[in-house]
Amino acid sequence: LREAPFVNSRRQVLSGAVASAGAGALWRSEASADPLEIGSIGEPVISGGPLPLTVGLGTGPPYAQKYVELAIDAGYRLFDTAQEYGSETGIGNALKAAFVAGKLKRKDVFVTTKVEIDNMGYEPTIQSVRESLENLGNLEGGIDLVLIHWPCPFVPKYEPGAIAKYSKLRRQTWEALERLRQDGVAKQIGVSNFGPRHLKELLAYAKVRPVVDQVEVHPYNQRVELEKLVKSQGIRFEAYSPLGKNAIGLLEDPVLMGIANQKNKSVAAIIFRWLLQRGITPIPLSRNEKRLKENLDVFDFALTDDEMRAIAKLDRGQFVLTDDEKLA
């Protein structure tokens, strides 16, 4: 088993519905719930609706307004940001310009942001998410989805007293998100980087259940057990760093390259399609206009059962970032 070293600093990381034609029977993993509960691949983006099963746009730092505008023109309608990324204002400005120009309607756009680690706690969360709404151009009806970015600062669970300390901080932060949802600042709320332990803890006290868990998922880190838990609770699953941040050789993997050659698609498209057929929404990051378009080229083909099984065998539990189960 290989994994990234434990990270002690703040993380820097990083979906658009496109009209799609169905491509044959869709493979679903054993962890998948009823397809109607998961969603349909390429389903339309609806502001405030369920997280759509499509390809979205990650906007990790730095991500300027011009790249968001390119993504809008390419067809993206699902946008992921976070307070720590510094891209909220760029997204807000790009969306506002697109609304004024008639390129987009608010009802067809889904925007996610996340509460930064330093803003966890009841009052800081309330204040920071209200500021996020302003940064995003005071989106009509509020922010579509607000997540807790990480379950805690990068503190290991074996540190004395850490689990008790940060369990309390998580609960305060979640109660703030419930209030923001009640006040209309956020349409929906959820979590990011919550593994099974953190998620079960939250579900034990949450008055409003999380609608999404966003974590690192790619062929070398498939998170099958977490997928089973998430889907058993009716929570949608979202994948950041679906290409492993181009740091672990996924794009050169011979199994993935073989499938890509056979399908006449890019390896990235194969990975995004693999995620979608598992009922997982991928949010890749790109600033390249050609690649932004290529990343949406996933709706006119399907992977076979044998191809899905071949990719499933690539799992090695390898984290590019931090193993969330190691956190307090």
Side-chain angles (χ1 to χ4, degrees):
L1 179 69
R2 295 185 297 163
E3 57 187 37
F6 192 84
V7 178
N8 290 303
S9 61
R10 287 170 57 199
R11 177 192 137 203
Q12 292 183 335
V13 298
L14 2 153
S15 222
V18 174
S20 63
L26 303 182
W27 190 94
R28 299 265 182 196
S29 71
E30 292 181 359
S32 298
D34 187 296
L36 293 176
E37 295 178 5
I38 295 173
S40 301
I41 293 176
E43 63 189 344
V45 174
I46 301 172
S47 176
L51 179 75
L53 193 54
T54 188
V55 177
L57 181 72
T59 62
Y63 207 91
Q65 178 178 342
K66 64 181 180 180
Y67 301 124
V68 184
E69 292 170 345
L70 287 174
I72 290 171
D73 290 342
Y76 288 84
R77 300 295 180 265
L78 182 60
F79 303 90
D80 180 85
T81 184
Q83 292 172 353
E84 76 169 66
Y85 296 172
S87 57
E88 290 178 333
T89 299
I91 290 176
N93 290 340
L95 289 176
K96 187 181 293 183
F99 294 151
V100 171
K103 291 182 178 181
L104 291 177
K105 295 181 179 179
R106 173 68 183 104
K107 67 182 181 66
D108 300 325
V109 174
F110 193 111
V111 179
T112 300
T113 194
K114 310 179 198 75
V115 178
E116 186 175 359
I117 289 172
D118 291 348
N119 292 329
M120 291 180 73
Y122 190 88
E123 290 299 336
T125 295
I126 294 288
Q127 180 178 344
S128 69
V129 175
R130 291 188 180 276
E131 291 174 356
S132 289
L133 179 58
E134 291 184 13
N135 292 339
L136 289 165
N138 288 307
L139 291 165
E140 181 183 352
I143 305 169
D144 297 287
L145 177 62
V146 180
L147 310 177
I148 301 177
H149 203 156
W150 285 88
C152 65
F154 294 97
V155 176
K157 62 184 179 183
Y158 54 76
E159 183 174 298
I163 290 179
K165 176 180 178 180
Y166 292 113
S167 292
K168 181 178 180 180
L169 186 64
R170 281 191 289 277
R171 183 163 187 163
Q172 292 170 342
T173 305
W174 188 254
E175 288 172 349
L177 289 186
E178 291 178 327
R179 176 59 186 269
L180 289 162
R181 179 181 177 273
Q182 179 181 329
D183 290 349
V185 178
K187 294 186 178 185
Q188 300 180 92
I189 56 178
V191 295
S192 179
N193 297 297
F194 272 48
R197 176 170 55 85
H198 300 117
L199 189 58
K200 289 175 182 178
E201 172 195 285
L202 173 63
L203 291 171
Y205 60 73
K207 296 177 182 176
V208 178
R209 295 168 65 83
V211 299
V212 168
D213 191 4
Q214 180 190 117
V215 301
E216 177 185 327
V217 189
H218 48 73
Y220 290 172
N221 189 19
Q222 301 188 16
R223 307 305 298 270
V224 174
E225 292 306 312
L226 179 58
E227 178 189 3
K228 291 177 181 178
L229 173 61
V230 166
K231 292 179 179 178
S232 74
Q233 297 297 318
I235 299 169
R236 293 209 176 191
F237 211 23
E238 189 170 27
Y240 70 74
S241 297
L243 303 181
K245 297 180 76 69
N246 297 330
I248 53 176
L250 275 172
L251 298 182
E252 293 78 41
D253 183 273
V255 172
L256 297 172
M257 290 179 67
I259 296 173
N261 289 335
Q262 188 173 39
K263 301 289 188 184
N264 195 27
K265 295 288 183 179
S266 68
V267 172
I270 297 302
I271 293 173
F272 303 151
R273 184 70 200 194
W274 166 76
L275 286 164
L276 291 169
Q277 287 185 214
R278 288 179 63 195
I280 303 173
T281 297
I283 46 170
L285 182 154
S286 180
R287 299 176 182 86
N288 179 284
E289 184 174 9
K290 180 174 180 287
R291 198 163 295 121
L292 283 167
K293 294 176 180 179
E294 288 178 348
N295 287 350
L296 294 175
D297 186 24
V298 298
F299 301 109
D300 61 352
F301 74 101
L303 299 175
T304 66
D305 289 354
D306 286 344
E307 289 165 341
M308 293 294 290
R309 282 190 283 266
I311 298 173
K313 292 178 181 178
L314 299 177
D315 193 13
R316 57 181 74 164
Q318 181 177 2
F319 282 85
V320 177
L321 296 172
T322 297
D323 182 350
D324 43 66
E325 283 298 293
K326 292 184 176 182
L327 298 175

